[in-house]
Amino acid sequence: MTDIAAELRATVTAMLARIPVDTQTPITAPDAAVWDAVVDAGFTGVDVPEEAGGHGGELGDALAVLDSLTEAGAVTPYLEHALLASWLAGSVGHSLEGTTATVALIDDGTIRTDGDRILLSGNATGIPHIDGADIVVALTTTPDGPLVAVVTLEAPGVEVEVATDMQGVSYGDIVFRDAEASFSAPSPVGIEDLRRRGALAYAVALAAAAREVRERTVRYASERTQFGRPLAKFQAIQQRLAEMAAQTTLMETAARAATEAASGDPAAARTAIAAAKIVTSRYATEVASAGHQIHGAIGFTSEHSLGRFTSALWTWTDRYGTEQDWAASLAGEILDGGADPWDVIVAQDS
């Protein structure tokens, strides 16, 4: 962790200590006070280029903010808005200041012009935080290469189908039917690049949520007594806690290694991010299950804070690729890309 990342973590943690976070699950609404504080502090532009109104920092710095927000149980659109949408728009010099955005990947999109208007058509699925967004930053492929398009969600031709995920966050699909873009530009970022960045962000978030489940479960097992002694004194509970600690440590290590690799050699970054998403998605459900098994029935009540983190672990495992998707990607790096398996294992640049 860089000095700046450590300072950001400390600052966000101190800020959140002054803002109550309601950890009821499912949520009644995202944490508006936290989001306003994050925006006012300028944290949404940490690694957005300066020419697009950001601070020009490193990805690891922005991920430190995400880690702190996740650890506190705050539900905000930080990942989608700051780490994906603002960064993507910033890559083509466009600022999203004054708006809240989410991001959409459109594999089969079409772009056509009508005079001065740029019209976008295509489908995007599985988009979080639709309800609170003003705009969507879409990345689509065209015969001339990838293109970024910024579209207002209330624009004609935008059809939104919204449900909620396990946390209670709005989550759904968008159909664009000749929806007019308020801004568009050829993108230096491809769809696979954005998917990889999204996978890294969710790997970091999964590791942070798992860490909090571990800490809360260890504390509960130490404080809760049964048959005259703390739960943590029972051998079966000790074994389950040890398994949880090992799994969480693997998740944290994989996420940290991928974060460090992301700014280095592209081939090493690809393998590290794939490995991180595999590991974090693989163990997320096991950590969540262990937390609930040790807490017992109380952990399943909507008022108990444990659910804020276990619902995140269950919900985020499939975001930007499942464990199986990234395992296939990692296998492709070895079988088709010629990567040395040993180099992949020890994270050595090929």
Side-chain angles (χ1 to χ4, degrees), residues 216-225 229-233 237 241 294-295:
R216 289 169 183 263
T217 304
V218 168
R219 185 165 58 247
Y220 178 81
S222 299
E223 296 171 350
R224 173 69 171 171
T225 59
R229 55 177 174 162
L231 286 177
K233 295 295 184 181
I237 299 296
L241 289 172
I294 294 173
H295 275 81

Side-chain angles (χ1 to χ4, degrees), residues 264-348:
D265 174 70
R270 286 195 298 270
T271 56
I273 292 170
K277 193 58 167 66
I278 292 167
V279 170
T280 53
S281 290
R282 167 70 178 82
Y283 290 117
T285 54
E286 294 191 23
V287 170
S289 296
H292 279 292
Q293 286 171 354
I294 294 173
H295 275 81
I298 191 172
F300 284 98
T301 60
S302 62
E303 296 83 4
H304 199 284
S305 60
L306 182 69
R308 174 60 54 91
F309 304 97
T310 55
S311 63
L313 292 175
W314 286 319
T315 299
W316 296 342
T317 55
D318 294 349
R319 298 273 169 93
Y320 286 89
T322 64
E323 171 194 350
Q324 292 76 19
D325 293 333
W326 286 104
S329 175
L330 189 57
E333 294 285 337
I334 297 170
L335 298 177
D336 301 327
D340 188 307
W342 182 248
D343 290 343
V344 172
I345 292 170
V346 300
Q348 178 178 316

Side-chain angles (χ1 to χ4, degrees), residues 49-75:
E50 292 181 5
E51 56 269 26
H55 305 300
E58 297 183 3
L59 172 58
D61 300 334
L63 289 171
V65 176
L66 174 66
D67 183 274
S68 296
L69 290 170
T70 305
E71 185 179 68
V75 176

